[in-house]
Amino acid sequence: MAEQYDAVIVGGGIAGSGLGTVLARAGKSVLTLEKTLAFEDIVRGEWIAPWGVVEAMRTGLYDVLRGANDYHIPRHIEYGDGLDPATGESRALLLALLPGVAGPLSVGHPQACQALFDAATAAGVSARRGVSDIVVESGPAPSVRYTMDGTTHEAQARLIIGADGRGSVVRRQAGIALHQEKTHHYFAGMLVEGADGWPIDVETMGTEGDVQFFVFPQAPGRLRLYLSFALEQKSRFAGHDKEQRFLDSFRLSTVPNSEAIAGARIAGPCHAVPNQSSWTDSPTAPGIVLLGDAAGYNDPITGQGLAVTLRDVRIVSELLLGAAEWNAELFAPYAEERRERMRRLRMAAAMDSIVHAEFGPEATARKMRVITQAAGDPAIGMARVSAMVGPELLPAEAFSDDALEAVRNA
């Protein structure tokens, strides 16, 4: 006999456990199905933009995430080719850009997942791990079959929620198409510890030689590092010694204290992914709604993944808790808002890729022209500001084709 729930959530990570916690705290019966037995470092987003922190506050999940790592990064400094380090430091961007938010929240992804999973369980979610062979049936009476400990189970619900990441089983079985732009570079990351010479209060991003680099502190000496690089270097960080080669790439002549990074201890795997944005026309099907990466994801070059997910959790939870009937029409506002949000974020990421993820003297010269022109005309590359404050706070023209061309032709 099938178990009965208000909601069955496939995926117990940030999106799934976050939404499950909010719904269970409001008295809804929730089953969460998670395939892993433990959350591991597979190099995912660990930087929550200020606008994503606002979303966490609005859903009541902020304190849970702070429990995983209570550290906000206060300053951003851009280094790199063509830039004088002292000038960059004098123009450091203070990241307390939104009221009540001290800056981006820097938190380990596995730790954040576990903290939210534990919060969901504490709120009353029936959370099951190690599940496999998930089969979703959409329609007016949606259901899920799954295997756990060698036994097949079935659960029926008012709604099935797909929060199972980029390769979403729910999305595929529901027949929801995922659109992807052409891959334009690769993105690799790794965690290090013992980088004691790096200032805890500074994140940095820039371009040197044939890489774009990112440094995000999480605690004294602990840094999450990322590099983006050209498509023709697909195998740059492959092989048995890839972690050390990745670390050696942080011997950057344009970045003060970079030796503190290159001399740090490897504290996690190095993993690279192709970089592009993706989206769905609508993240819904009869009896099903998607959120987080399952519904489409932004190019990680601007670090929007966790903020996108937290907004999804907020909007979907508000719709569900504000309605007696959980029908397909309920999610029309979510689908509309998300469609435009992801379009704007795609445009912002495309602009940032032009400025920072293209390499060589001509690319450096264009970067410097964009920086110079933006100082006199904030409309140049304005969309890139959305990475911090959110895409809805800027005018629509900031995300137009004309705006993109202005950056490309600077």
Side-chain angles (χ1 to χ4, degrees):
M1 185 174 182
E3 299 176 275
Q4 302 290 325
Y5 295 91
D6 288 314
V8 174
I9 302 175
V10 179
I14 304 288
S17 289
L19 182 62
T21 299
V22 177
L23 294 180
R25 286 175 175 175
K28 304 302 180 183
S29 59
V30 180
L31 170 65
T32 295
L33 304 175
E34 168 59 33
K35 67 179 181 180
T36 70
L37 295 174
F39 297 112
E40 298 180 351
D41 181 1
I42 52 176
V43 188
R44 292 291 185 266
E46 300 193 330
W47 181 90
I48 304 178
W51 69 276
V53 175
V54 172
E55 299 295 346
M57 292 175 172
R58 293 179 67 179
T59 54
L61 299 175
Y62 177 57
D63 286 341
V64 177
L65 292 168
R66 288 176 62 200
N69 195 45
D70 188 8
Y71 183 67
H72 292 269
I73 305 173
R75 293 194 298 155
H76 177 94
I77 299 174
E78 180 170 351
Y79 295 112
D81 290 337
L83 298 168
D84 175 62
T87 301
E89 290 164 5
S90 70
R91 297 174 179 172
L93 176 64
L94 301 181
L95 299 178
L97 298 168
L98 296 175
V101 179
L105 183 63
S106 188
V107 57
H109 196 94
Q111 292 77 21
C113 288
Q114 189 62 55
L116 288 167
F117 189 88
D118 292 343
T121 302
V125 171
S126 179
R128 298 176 186 172
R129 306 197 72 156
V131 305
S132 61
D133 303 321
I134 292 173
V135 178
V136 175
E137 295 290 341
S138 61
S143 65
V144 177
R145 292 195 310 277
Y146 64 95
T147 300
M148 183 176 176
D149 296 329
T151 301
T152 299
H153 304 265
E154 183 173 357
Q156 294 179 339
R158 298 169 65 189
L159 182 69
I160 306 298
I161 297 159
D164 49 341
R166 292 189 175 194
S168 174
V169 170
V170 177
R171 184 184 65 236
R172 293 199 306 270
Q173 293 186 6
I176 299 173
L178 183 72
H179 308 289
Q180 289 184 312
E181 66 181 6
K182 185 178 180 180
T183 301
H184 44 82
H185 58 283
Y186 283 90
F187 204 77
M190 192 173 76
L191 185 70
V192 299
E193 294 180 343
D196 300 320
W198 185 263
I200 181 65
D201 65 333
V202 172
E203 67 172 43
T204 189
M205 178 277 299
T207 307
E208 180 176 310
D210 60 356
V211 296
Q212 180 189 13
F213 57 85
F214 302 80
V215 179
F216 299 116
Q218 296 182 355
R222 186 169 76 237
L223 311 173
R224 174 60 75 175
L225 309 176
Y226 299 101
L227 292 171
S228 68
F229 50 97
L231 289 177
E232 57 266 26
Q233 297 188 35
K234 179 179 180 180
S235 301
R236 178 170 184 152
F237 299 115
H240 70 282
D241 61 343
K242 60 183 179 180
E243 285 81 10
Q244 188 59 53
R245 285 186 282 110
F246 179 92
L247 197 54
D248 288 342
S249 296
F250 277 85
R251 300 186 189 278
L252 300 163
S253 63
T254 63
V255 181
N257 301 315
S258 68
E259 281 298 323
I261 302 173
R265 298 189 304 275
I266 297 167
C270 175
H271 182 60
V273 296
N275 250 30
Q276 73 278 319
S277 294
S278 71
W279 64 97
T280 54
D281 293 329
S282 175
T284 64
I288 291 173
V289 65
L290 307 177
L291 67 160
D293 283 357
Y297 44 89
N298 195 232
D299 181 340
I301 194 170
T302 51
Q304 301 299 285
L306 295 181
V308 165
T309 294
L310 289 166
R311 177 165 292 179
D312 289 353
V313 168
R314 194 261 299 172
I315 294 178
V316 170
S317 64
E318 288 179 349
L319 291 171
L320 292 175
L321 297 179
E325 292 291 328
W326 290 5
N327 52 37
E329 293 75 18
L330 177 65
F331 299 108
Y334 168 57
E336 181 180 357
E337 186 277 340
R338 197 180 204 277
R339 189 182 305 115
E340 175 62 12
R341 182 195 346 151
M342 299 306 284
R343 186 197 70 80
R344 291 187 176 203
L345 292 176
R346 283 198 304 277
M347 191 68 73
M351 293 181 191
D352 207 62
S353 293
I354 291 169
V355 176
H356 290 114
E358 296 184 7
F359 310 107
E362 291 183 8
T364 298
R366 180 174 55 211
K367 176 183 72 174
M368 299 308 299
R369 290 194 297 271
V370 170
I371 292 172
T372 300
Q373 292 176 24
D377 180 4
I380 301 294
M382 183 191 299
R384 294 166 57 216
V385 179
S386 66
M388 293 292 181
V389 302
E392 73 285 349
L393 293 186
L394 300 177
E397 55 265 27
F399 305 93
S400 66
D401 290 337
D402 288 344
L404 180 62
E405 286 304 305
V407 172
R408 181 176 287 121
N409 297 323

